[in-house]
Amino acid sequence: MLPQHMPQLLVVDLEATCDADQRIARAAMEIIEIGAVRVDLDSLEIVDRFQSHVRPAINPRLTAFCTGLTGITQEQVDAAPWFAEACAGYAAWLAASFDGPAWASWGNYDKGQFEQDCGRLALADPHAGLSHLNLKTVFAKALDIRSCGLAAAFRHLGQEMVGRHHCGLDDAVNIARLLALAPAFAAEVRR
Ligand code: AMP
Ligand code: MG
């Protein structure tokens, strides 16, 4: 599954501005949290974590729906860096700690959202040069089930998520935990 043997995997989960009934169009959604963990694929342990909230520019006021979903408050995004600065901080963390070749997320949403936010500001995507692994698809294949959400993946295993679902960092931690909780999943990722 990975392009070459790699001792570490980067797992990323983003949160973005949103409203009920998609009243914020997909093209106008903006990242409000970057959560990421590096996982040692030999021990399946999380070896490093990154979290940054991000101040949105198009829709600077979070909806009650968004805060209810993600737990991210208006005060947190008001105090956070704009995307260009947050993205530079994330890129610096990656450059200092991760040498690829792949990053991963649950589904393809996070990849598209990162490309959208970087494209809007003509920023270099920090994942340029890395291939992307859709762990939702890999999990479904490994366990021979239909692809499902993260919470459903935990229910399937009879396991509990830790932290708060829809917090970017906690989601990234939980995605990474699935590797240790489902050996067939880890084997498929390593393949
Ligand atoms: P997640 O990683 O599942 O927490 O979702 C990432 C982002 O997708 C969220 O921050 C929202 O912007 C959007 N999103 C997720 N679930 C919903 C939902 N039920 N309704 C509207 N937007 C959602
Ligand atoms: Mg999330």
Side-chain angles (χ1 to χ4, degrees):
M1 194 57 60
L2 288 173
Q4 64 191 68
H5 174 70
M6 183 186 72
Q8 293 198 343
L9 181 68
L10 175 68
V11 179
V12 178
D13 190 272
L14 304 174
E15 302 306 326
T17 52
C18 59
D19 201 354
D21 308 322
Q22 295 178 318
R23 274 178 289 213
I24 294 178
R26 178 69 190 83
M29 285 170 69
E30 297 166 275
I31 296 170
I32 54 172
E33 183 188 354
I34 304 169
V37 298
R38 284 192 298 122
V39 186
D40 183 312
L41 283 178
D42 292 325
S43 67
L44 300 179
E45 285 178 5
I46 292 169
V47 294
D48 200 6
R49 300 166 184 234
F50 178 92
Q51 183 184 38
S52 178
H53 290 115
V54 184
R55 190 171 175 183
I58 299 172
N59 288 293
R61 301 295 304 173
L62 298 187
T63 63
F65 176 88
C66 184
T67 292
L69 180 77
T70 65
I72 299 170
T73 64
Q74 188 64 47
E75 292 70 28
Q76 284 175 313
V77 294
D78 284 348
W82 301 107
F83 181 69
E85 189 186 334
C87 185
Y90 173 65
W93 175 74
L94 271 189
S97 62
F98 185 70
D99 62 358
W103 70 290
S105 60
W106 195 262
N108 281 326
Y109 158 75
D110 305 82
K111 180 172 187 286
Q113 186 70 57
F114 228 111
E115 289 170 354
Q116 179 169 292
D117 283 50
C118 287
R120 198 181 276 136
L121 296 172
L123 300 172
D125 189 325
H127 306 112
L130 303 178
S131 59
H132 178 258
L133 198 54
N134 179 341
L135 292 178
K136 183 193 271 195
T137 303
V138 177
F139 185 84
K141 182 179 179 204
L143 279 82
D144 196 22
I145 59 171
R146 293 173 63 141
S147 77
C148 63
L150 185 56
F154 273 83
R155 282 197 297 277
H156 179 79
L157 297 176
Q159 297 285 341
E160 297 288 329
M161 298 173 79
V162 296
R164 187 192 197 288
H165 188 22
H166 302 300
C167 160
L169 179 58
D170 290 348
D171 283 352
V173 166
N174 279 307
I175 295 164
R177 287 179 64 236
L178 286 175
L179 293 164
L181 293 171
F185 178 40
E188 189 67 28
V189 167
R190 287 195 192 104
R191 226 156 59 82

